[in-house]
Amino acid sequence: MSASDLDVVIVGAGLSGIGAAHHLQNRLPGKSYAIPEARDAIGGTWDLFRYPGIRSDSDMYTLGYNFKPWPGAKALADGPSIREYVRETARESGIDKHIRFHHRVTTVSWSSKDARWTVTAEHEGTQVALTCSFVVMCSGYYKYEHGYTPDFAGRDRFKGRIIHPQLWPEDLDYKNKQVVVIGLGATAVTIVPEMAKMAAHVTMLQRSPTYVVSRPSEDKIANRLRKILPRKVAYGLTRWKNVGLQMLFYNRARSQPDKVRALITKLAQKELGPAYPVSTHFNPKYNPWDQRMCLIPDADLFNEIKAGHASVVTDTIDTFTETGIKLSSGQDLKADIIVTATGLDLQFLGGAEVMVDGEAIELSKRLTYKGMMYEGVPNLVSIFGYTNASWTLKCDLTCEFTCRLIKHMD
């Protein structure tokens, strides 16, 4: 078998891809594999994003792999620590030797006659082909080239800098500057308190309210268990504890949304003080977990708001101006820097085209099995995490299932 003829091709060397490779070589040690990676680094999202304060919005005892205990004291960890965790996993298991950097997969094509996939990738201006019997897509769900930014009226009039968090410039100086962060999701609630430490003032501008829940950055129970129990035992117990609490909270939110809404807003009011208009800025029209909720460590966003370093404005944009943003209400927000934390540009399977016996397959019109396989597309799995729990929990389960499936097929 040549270097281009393999048992498995795993597309992407991010959190999911490295995890998939570990499961594969641990459970099926005789299988040959390669990991084409479009970029020049391991880590995926955790290497790409470099904005101030980047961190997990899930606890690392469930976002971490089930086979490798999270070593840090903080449950809500910073981006560089997570990146190093993924890279360390690759180094320890020799997975890094299987990665082929600067290989952007463009097409995966199945031949029923040969019972093989041909995975075509662009590498330094040339087409490289890998053949295999099984493909595992771990390429995420968004474009790495750019994020999503709405077409704001008057954008070209603004005299300051406009930054999207996905392409954060290393030279951005925001000390003593007026900053407006447009957005209401996990990225916005991370950036605002971090930038507020140095900026003159940071305003989080949101179209509608969102739920924001504070939790300690460190898991005291987990840290105590690590002192008295073997590392893997302590990690496993903490992992199951946190999975149970996540399920309990989610199920309660779905069965008793009014009570959970009241609890969340009560906790926010307690943090921000009795005079703060929580109902305006942190009490959405939708029920808890109708959309993903924002998690903040140690109430950092609330603390910066109380200190006067940050504020929240709930309104819509009329137009950008030379000096900031004019809102639909007529209010003007002055800004030296505008951060568009407006989301990701979605892209399925890294933009790769899927072909079966020469026919292009539109996967959105196919039935799916367990959220991982597709009708009429043999021997291909796509890794996609949970939306209401930590991403890696489902990735680990999908990888274990895939290994059992390959073993059964053998």
Side-chain angles (χ1 to χ4, degrees):
M1 183 175 285
S2 69
S4 61
D5 188 29
L6 306 154
D7 292 313
V8 181
V9 169
I10 299 169
V11 180
L15 182 68
S16 303
I18 299 304
H22 187 281
H23 283 287
L24 179 69
Q25 66 180 32
N26 186 54
R27 294 168 183 270
L28 300 169
K31 297 296 180 183
S32 61
Y33 72 95
I35 309 175
E37 163 58 47
R39 301 174 68 248
D40 62 354
I42 297 171
T45 292
W46 299 109
D47 179 74
L48 176 70
F49 284 86
R50 302 295 180 99
Y51 59 77
I54 174 140
R55 56 169 174 78
S56 63
D57 65 343
S58 299
D59 73 275
M60 290 306 302
Y61 299 100
T62 55
L63 186 63
Y65 300 118
N66 62 4
F67 54 81
K68 180 177 172 61
W70 170 246
K74 286 192 174 182
L76 299 180
D78 60 89
S81 297
I82 300 172
R83 181 171 68 246
E84 179 53 32
Y85 171 76
V86 177
R87 291 179 177 179
E88 183 179 85
T89 303
R91 289 195 304 267
E92 287 177 345
S93 305
I95 295 168
D96 54 347
K97 297 179 177 63
H98 295 262
I99 300 172
R100 304 186 185 190
F101 294 109
H102 295 294
H103 281 65
R104 180 183 301 277
V105 172
T106 56
T107 308
V108 290
S109 181
W110 171 260
S111 167
S112 296
K113 178 183 177 181
D114 300 323
R116 304 289 285 171
W117 282 102
T118 298
V119 179
T120 304
E122 292 181 355
H123 175 62
E124 297 179 349
T126 63
Q127 300 286 312
V128 177
L130 304 173
T131 57
C132 62
S133 58
F134 211 99
V135 172
V136 182
M137 301 296 294
C138 300
S139 46
Y141 57 92
Y142 65 90
K143 291 183 179 179
Y144 273 42
E145 291 79 13
H146 55 79
Y148 173 72
T149 302
D151 185 16
F152 293 116
R155 178 188 176 101
D156 294 338
R157 296 165 56 193
F158 181 59
K159 302 297 185 183
R161 294 189 70 173
I162 301 175
I163 308 295
H164 193 286
Q166 190 167 321
L167 299 173
W168 198 269
E170 293 183 7
D171 65 342
L172 183 65
D173 178 16
Y174 55 88
K175 186 176 181 179
N176 298 324
K177 301 288 181 65
Q178 294 288 336
V179 180
V180 174
V181 178
I182 303 172
L184 70 161
T187 302
V189 300
T190 299
I191 289 176
V192 169
E194 188 66 23
M195 293 189 77
K197 295 175 182 178
M198 294 177 58
H201 189 81
V202 181
T203 302
M204 187 172 87
L205 173 60
Q206 57 181 14
R207 287 182 300 176
S208 58
T210 188
Y211 293 109
V212 177
V213 178
S214 174
R215 66 172 292 177
S217 60
E218 294 191 14
D219 188 326
K220 292 183 179 180
I221 294 176
N223 290 340
R224 290 195 191 107
L225 288 175
R226 290 199 298 184
K227 292 179 180 179
I228 60 175
L229 294 173
R231 188 176 63 159
K232 287 190 174 181
V233 174
Y235 182 69
L237 289 173
T238 303
R239 188 178 177 88
W240 279 109
K241 169 184 74 74
N242 290 1
V243 168
L245 290 174
Q246 288 176 10
M247 292 176 61
L248 178 65
F249 183 70
Y250 176 78
N251 290 332
R252 183 64 59 86
R254 306 314 291 160
S255 62
Q256 297 178 311
D258 291 341
K259 289 186 177 180
V260 173
R261 175 196 294 270
L263 174 62
I264 294 171
T265 54
K266 180 182 178 181
L267 292 173
Q269 196 75 70
K270 182 180 178 182
E271 292 287 351
L272 291 164
Y276 189 84
V278 166
S279 60
T280 300
H281 301 308
F282 297 109
N283 188 15
K285 293 180 181 179
Y286 59 85
N287 287 328
W289 274 118
D290 279 355
Q291 297 181 27
R292 189 173 174 89
M293 289 193 289
C294 291
L295 199 63
I296 59 172
D298 302 322
D300 60 355
L301 174 64
F302 296 151
N303 291 335
E304 295 300 331
I305 293 172
K306 284 190 296 184
H309 303 151
S311 58
V312 179
V313 173
T314 304
D315 206 335
T316 54
I317 295 172
D318 178 45
T319 183
F320 280 30
T321 66
E322 290 82 356
T323 58
I325 298 173
K326 181 181 179 182
L327 303 177
S328 299
S329 63
Q331 180 183 357
D332 285 314
L333 294 179
K334 301 298 181 184
D336 301 303
I337 299 169
I338 296 175
V339 179
T340 56
T342 45
L344 306 167
D345 198 345
L346 300 184
Q347 179 175 256
F348 192 50
L349 301 186
E353 184 179 27
V354 179
M355 308 280 292
V356 174
D357 294 330
E359 178 188 354
I361 303 297
E362 192 171 346
L363 293 179
S364 63
K365 295 184 178 180
R366 299 297 178 104
L367 294 173
T368 63
Y369 177 70
K370 293 185 180 292
M372 56 180 274
M373 301 186 79
Y374 304 90
E375 174 194 15
V377 183
N379 295 22
L380 181 144
V381 163
S382 65
I383 304 293
F384 203 92
Y386 290 120
T387 55
N388 63 331
S390 292
W391 179 269
T392 318
L393 289 173
K394 188 179 176 186
C395 293
D396 278 334
L397 292 174
T398 304
C399 292
E400 291 172 359
F401 182 95
T402 300
C403 290
R404 293 198 305 272
L405 174 61
I406 294 173
K407 185 176 181 179
H408 175 76
M409 291 168 65
D410 287 345

